[in-house]
Amino acid sequence: MSILAIVLGASQIGLPTMPNDLPAWLNSNSTDRLFYKPAPYNWDIERIPAFARDMYATGVGHAMAYEALVRGQASSLETRTFSTIDWVLKHPPKVPVDEGAVSPTFERKYGALEKVFDWAHTLHFQVIDVFMHPGWTVAQKEAEVGRLWDFYRSQPYALTGLPMNMEVLDNFPYSGIFRKRYPKVNALFWGYHWLQTVNYDMLYRVAIKDQSAQYPIVSEQYHRTELYNTRREFMPMTAELSPRFAKRFPEIANAFDNLHMLHDNVNDILADERLRESQKQEQVKIAIYRVLDSTHQNERPGEGKSLTLHDHRFPEGMPGMGMMKGGNEQTMYMTGMGWMNMSECSHCSIPLDDGPRWGATVSADGWTMWVRCPMCARDMASETPGKAIIRAATEDPDQMLILTSDDEGNWTSNMPGVVFLERFGDHPECSDWSRAFTSPKAFDAFVRQHPEYKDAKALSLAEWSQQNHGKPDTYQRIDKPNPYRGGRS
Amino acid sequence: MRSLFCLGMFGLSIVALASDHNNLEPSRPLSVEDAYSIAFGEREIQVGFSALGRDHARSQYGMRTEFQYGFAKNRDFSVAFESLSPHAPTTFEASYFENLRRETDRSPALGFRLSANQTRSQMSTELTLAATKAWHQYDKLHANIGLSTDDAPKFILGYSSPIGYPRRFDTTAIGEFMIQRGVGSIGVGLRRQVSVRGVVDVGAIVGDGRSKLVAGYSVGF
């Protein structure tokens, strides 16, 4: 492409313009390395070594791809660079890797961006470490995650915790170029983001011993499918993969999504051959500015003008997620699942309960869905071939039931004495008559307090697993076209 | 000496937490340092052992223990004790380091260190200027100029290169050429990440009728 064509092309494509209030640090040549919050939980991620290594490898992949892009090696991104990254992902490093050392050229050119990335990645890791720290109560961990968020926000490089409209952020002249031109490497990027967001529900409120038991299933999905999934229409969102975490810590979930959207913006800018290097540097600064905490001071979640940079609406029932393409407060489109309402059970379409009777989530084939009761979870999991994880509330708010299934649908429980109540009735009351209990004793205590179930039998895991009530008649399919594929559903 | 031992043991007891093999610190293991401070909020303990041989003289053995603290962005201070046996007094060193700018396409990273050394009743101060610039893709060149109140100026040219890229990311090789009072010495060394924030280093320096072997461990927390 000639220089004239590049100049003409760039002037005609309507690039975003530099804001008047760009923070000074974005133009500074200071280094500003920051250390994580000192705490006893740091690096507790290593309690699941395979998970730690996979997380360390995600940084290497990002850095290698960026380095190739800024060194004029875009033509080999899908071949040589992909193979190199893939090797690292299959042989992940045992220790964390300094991304700047792997991408020195990129760091020289985009030093301010590295500060934003590094600081957000630090938050990623420290939240994981808190959840994996033994000896602390759930309340202590939740309080510490709140302090981590404050610690993160204390620096100017912090990304906003407000929900941002993803359709707005992915609708610039350069948007989508990278994923179209480099689908294999883009799949790797979105695969990393899948792992970086799916893990929080694996860890949040889950006993330390039960966290590692889930990782083989997560790891298999990550290594076999998610890293190479070129069919995904949009980047993975935190609330799609860790809905319980996103609902409890919406600001952090939003910050992670805004970080990942910034990654996508940067990928697209770097891959846009119409732009000169100076234009790329300017556009990267503008992209950073859009999602900074400082850009959205005094703005509130749920407010803002639709389809603008300051649109902070979120889907009903999910404050930890911005509006998605084609969606509204009631419905959103999710890759692999179609249209859905995040305030309703994904299996029976009845509104979800709040509080201690939060129901259950089902993870299978790369997605995670929130449902009202163990029965909905089981029956929904049975619709999808392959391994699955169910995380369900019990009568004890401090004990979460974790069920993992093999490829044949045989369930294993983290609670040897788990029993179930399942007296099938009308779905609007399914969270009343489908419940999980930590022990037969707990079941008996519940029945004593609820004589309407005096004839109900405490089902063992084996007995409960044999049940299946199929698709509920209350389920309402939302029939709208796929917003990412030109109207095709 | 007892306090040095205690400090050293403390460093070893927090093995799970610290440091980075890419960063070059003076004495860990060579003399050359890069132009970057440690991270804001980071604390680092370094413990090193050395064996010094001279032509026609008895060998000496030393231990150096240093504590660094990144008390502000791009700034750190450190205190260090170094003892050499036999027949050498303990040296106490305090220093302030400031990174002035990171490396860009147009200019190298720049930093400086101000340090004060006290041995018995003798005190000296030194200003070290440090520059770091990329060489080819992953390698780096480092230049240090040391100006001391009681010694001749010192010039060091250093070179660092990651080993194993793009398959391993845990080891950096280092080389240096130092000249002072018209006499040169060369050194080679290695820094390896052995835990999430722990780094082991080894090095050898020869020149001016002397040879020095160094091994150490750094941990940040």
Side-chain angles (χ1 to χ4, degrees):
Chain A
M1 186 174 284
S2 72
I3 292 175
L4 181 62
I6 290 173
V7 172
L8 287 175
S11 65
Q12 290 167 355
I13 58 177
L15 290 168
T17 53
M18 190 64 83
N20 295 324
D21 57 343
L22 192 79
W25 65 267
L26 277 165
N27 288 316
S28 160
N29 284 328
S30 61
T31 306
D32 301 339
R33 287 177 182 160
L34 300 172
F35 202 63
Y36 43 78
K37 185 173 185 270
Y41 48 76
N42 286 325
W43 303 109
D44 273 343
I45 189 174
E46 300 232 318
R47 290 178 184 279
I48 308 178
F51 174 44
R53 295 182 65 176
D54 283 339
M55 285 292 288
Y56 300 154
T58 62
V60 178
H62 270 130
M64 283 180 170
Y66 284 145
E67 183 72 358
L69 278 171
V70 300
R71 289 182 67 85
Q73 297 162 354
S75 60
S76 60
L77 207 58
E78 290 281 276
T79 51
R80 194 175 64 210
T81 304
F82 175 86
S83 299
T84 306
I85 296 173
D86 195 41
W87 190 93
V88 174
L89 294 169
K90 288 185 166 78
H91 306 81
K94 292 178 181 169
V95 291
V97 177
D98 176 359
E99 290 181 36
V102 181
S103 54
T105 316
F106 178 75
E107 188 168 63
R108 284 198 301 278
K109 295 178 187 296
Y110 298 96
L113 178 64
E114 275 292 313
K115 293 176 192 175
V116 176
F117 284 161
D118 281 351
W119 195 227
H121 293 161
T122 299
L123 179 67
H124 255 311
F125 272 95
Q126 288 209 277
V127 173
I128 290 169
D129 289 335
V130 170
F131 289 150
M132 294 182 69
H133 186 55
W136 278 11
T137 63
V138 169
Q140 284 176 303
K141 291 182 180 185
E142 293 195 354
E144 182 61 14
V145 170
R147 286 188 286 272
L148 276 178
W149 174 246
D150 294 339
F151 179 71
Y152 173 73
R153 287 189 74 192
S154 68
Q155 292 296 332
Y157 327 119
L159 299 171
T160 180
L162 289 166
M164 299 284 288
N165 188 310
M166 291 294 146
E167 185 172 358
V168 170
L169 294 182
D170 197 36
N171 197 26
F172 298 102
Y174 44 73
S175 295
I177 287 178
F178 186 84
R179 74 195 70 151
K180 287 192 192 86
R181 197 168 295 165
Y182 310 109
K184 287 166 62 183
V185 175
N186 186 68
L188 294 180
F189 273 47
W190 285 358
Y192 313 147
H193 296 165
W194 182 89
L195 181 68
Q196 287 167 342
T197 50
V198 79
N199 73 81
Y200 293 104
D201 266 14
M202 178 182 87
L203 307 172
Y204 172 51
R205 294 187 77 99
V206 175
I208 300 293
K209 68 178 176 55
D210 300 328
Q211 293 173 341
S212 58
Q214 300 171 66
Y215 195 65
I217 295 177
V218 172
S219 174
E220 184 179 315
Q221 180 70 23
Y222 173 63
H223 283 284
R224 283 194 185 172
T225 306
E226 299 303 328
L227 285 170
Y228 312 104
N229 182 1
T230 54
R231 289 173 290 114
R232 184 179 277 281
E233 290 128 333
F234 195 75
M235 67 174 200
M237 299 290 286
T238 308
E240 286 180 346
L241 299 169
S242 286
R244 288 185 305 110
F245 171 80
K247 194 166 188 174
R248 174 62 184 83
F249 300 103
E251 291 174 312
I252 297 179
N254 287 322
F256 290 159
D257 289 339
N258 297 335
L259 164 72
H260 296 161
M261 190 69 242
L262 176 60
H263 267 295
D264 278 7
N265 282 169
V266 171
N267 299 344
D268 292 334
I269 292 166
L270 295 181
D272 192 335
E273 292 174 350
R274 296 169 297 180
L275 306 183
R276 296 190 303 273
E277 184 168 320
S278 61
Q279 288 177 305
K280 290 180 180 180
Q281 295 195 336
E282 185 175 282
Q283 288 303 314
V284 165
K285 287 175 187 168
I286 297 170
I288 296 171
Y289 168 86
R290 283 197 293 262
V291 287
L292 283 178
D293 192 30
S294 55
T295 304
H296 301 277
Q297 289 295 314
N298 304 318
E299 295 173 16
R300 297 163 63 87
E303 298 178 354
K305 190 178 173 190
S306 301
L307 291 169
T308 66
L309 181 62
H310 302 284
D311 178 359
H312 304 309
R313 294 172 301 145
F314 52 83
E316 272 178 13
M318 185 43 75
M321 184 179 204
M323 300 299 285
M324 304 292 285
K325 185 172 184 177
N328 54 35
E329 278 90 340
Q330 284 75 43
T331 59
M332 62 155 279
Y333 183 86
M334 181 170 163
T335 290
M337 297 305 292
W339 286 95
M340 55 180 292
N341 183 326
M342 297 199 83
S343 66
E344 295 176 349
C345 172
S346 302
H347 188 61
C348 68
S349 301
I350 306 295
L352 291 164
D353 293 320
D354 265 332
R357 287 173 57 195
W358 54 268
T361 60
V362 189
S363 299
D365 197 28
W367 48 257
T368 295
M369 287 291 177
W370 203 321
V371 294
R372 293 186 85 218
C373 66
M375 181 200 67
C376 284
R378 179 199 62 213
D379 292 353
M380 189 167 185
S382 71
E383 295 171 3
T384 305
K387 297 183 172 77
I389 301 172
I390 290 176
R391 304 178 184 106
T394 66
E395 85 290 348
D396 181 349
D398 292 331
Q399 293 195 65
M400 190 187 301
L401 174 65
I402 308 289
L403 299 174
T404 52
S405 81
D406 60 19
D407 288 315
E408 278 72 48
N410 300 308
W411 292 100
T412 302
S413 168
N414 65 328
M415 294 177 184
V418 66
V419 291
F420 298 86
L421 168 70
E422 187 167 313
R423 201 176 68 181
F424 189 70
D426 292 335
H427 255 283
E429 286 82 42
C430 66
S431 56
D432 289 335
W433 48 256
S434 171
R435 293 170 183 253
F437 296 90
T438 54
S439 66
K441 193 176 165 186
F443 176 90
D444 292 342
F446 175 80
V447 170
R448 275 197 299 277
Q449 289 177 354
H450 299 83
E452 66 270 31
Y453 297 114
K454 66 179 188 304
D455 299 327
K457 184 190 174 197
L459 299 175
S460 68
L461 177 62
E463 291 168 325
W464 177 83
S465 302
Q466 297 304 313
Q467 312 280 319
N468 192 328
H469 296 287
K471 200 61 149 178
D473 52 13
T474 53
Y475 175 69
Q476 294 178 327
R477 180 183 154 87
I478 303 171
D479 204 12
K480 289 167 66 176
N482 182 336
Y484 297 101
R485 293 196 175 169
R488 283 179 289 128
S489 52
Chain B
M1 195 65 200
R2 188 176 166 186
S3 62
L4 290 182
F5 178 75
C6 290
L7 197 55
M9 289 309 292
F10 174 63
L12 296 176
S13 71
I14 47 175
V15 65
L17 296 173
S19 201
D20 198 322
H21 68 96
N22 303 306
N23 300 330
L24 302 191
E25 307 285 350
S27 304
R28 296 272 53 86
L30 308 182
S31 302
V32 67
E33 62 180 311
D34 64 25
Y36 294 100
S37 69
I38 64 171
F40 174 38
E42 182 174 10
R43 291 163 291 176
E44 183 164 321
I45 289 177
Q46 305 169 353
V47 183
F49 302 91
S50 58
L52 182 65
R54 301 175 197 229
D55 293 347
H56 317 299
R58 275 183 70 183
S59 296
Q60 287 184 298
Y61 303 94
M63 177 178 175
R64 178 184 171 89
T65 306
E66 181 165 349
F67 172 75
Q68 295 185 335
Y69 178 51
F71 67 95
K73 283 178 186 169
N74 310 309
R75 295 171 175 84
D76 64 51
F77 76 77
S78 62
V79 290
F81 298 90
E82 187 159 7
S83 57
L84 208 58
S85 64
H87 314 308
T90 296
T91 300
F92 170 74
E93 180 184 309
S95 72
Y96 164 85
F97 184 89
E98 182 168 339
N99 166 253
L100 299 171
R101 56 174 298 144
R102 64 181 171 84
E103 185 185 357
T104 63
D105 282 343
R106 293 178 183 170
S107 82
L110 298 172
F112 71 90
R113 179 181 298 281
L114 271 174
S115 56
N117 294 279
Q118 177 142 20
T119 308
R120 287 185 180 147
S121 58
Q122 279 192 314
M123 179 147 173
S124 64
T125 56
E126 184 169 334
L127 169 68
T128 304
L129 307 174
T132 293
K133 180 150 182 56
W135 178 254
H136 296 121
Q137 187 172 5
Y138 295 117
D139 302 349
K140 289 177 182 168
L141 289 174
H142 312 273
N144 295 172
I145 300 173
L147 305 168
S148 172
T149 54
D150 72 342
D151 207 344
K154 180 168 65 181
F155 302 93
I156 308 175
L157 188 62
Y159 179 79
S160 62
S161 177
I163 295 179
Y165 275 22
R167 296 199 163 188
R168 288 189 68 114
F169 309 92
D170 58 2
T171 307
T172 299
I174 314 155
E176 72 175 19
F177 174 70
M178 181 166 76
I179 189 160
Q180 190 173 29
R181 294 183 299 271
V183 179
S185 66
I186 58 169
V188 292
L190 212 61
R191 284 172 61 86
R192 168 165 283 196
Q193 196 91 35
V194 291
S195 66
V196 286
R197 296 296 283 171
V199 173
V200 163
D201 63 80
V202 293
I205 302 170
V206 294
D208 193 20
R210 298 193 299 180
S211 58
K212 186 179 181 183
L213 294 175
V214 181
Y217 181 74
S218 308
V219 63
F221 56 98

